[in-house]
Amino acid sequence: DLESVDELAANLPLVQRIRTALKDGPLPCKRLAEDLASTQNIIRAIIAKHKSSFMRVGDKIALMPARTGEIQF
């Protein structure tokens, strides 16, 4: 698993690194930027580009819940 090895994870696309960082729960944009050696503007741009993967929860960013494929009536 590339994400579990720091040296290899650093070479993954930033969007994938954001997904990995959010697996344990929502984080503020500032914290993501610091943890991923990026800027808040770049994090925000990636979140905006990948709207189907991420959502805002208050002042934090979270992974979008997985779809179950079930139709709710």
Side-chain angles (χ1 to χ4, degrees):
D1 186 11
L2 294 176
E3 296 166 353
S4 63
V5 180
D6 290 337
E7 294 83 23
L8 299 176
N11 293 320
L12 293 173
L14 188 54
V15 66
Q16 191 168 346
R17 292 171 38 216
I18 293 171
R19 285 187 189 110
T20 300
L22 296 174
K23 282 184 179 177
D24 292 329
L27 292 171
C29 185
K30 182 177 181 179
R31 170 79 185 274
L32 279 172
E34 291 169 356
D35 289 354
L36 301 176
S38 187
T39 68
Q40 290 184 58
N41 286 340
I42 291 173
I43 299 293
R44 285 187 197 108
I46 289 173
I47 299 306
K49 182 177 180 182
H50 297 273
K51 291 179 185 177
S52 63
S53 296
F54 305 103
M55 63 183 198
R56 290 219 172 251
V57 178
D59 65 340
K60 297 180 180 179
I61 298 167
L63 290 172
M64 190 68 75
R67 294 183 180 186
T68 61
E70 296 180 28
I71 299 173
Q72 299 287 326
F73 291 99

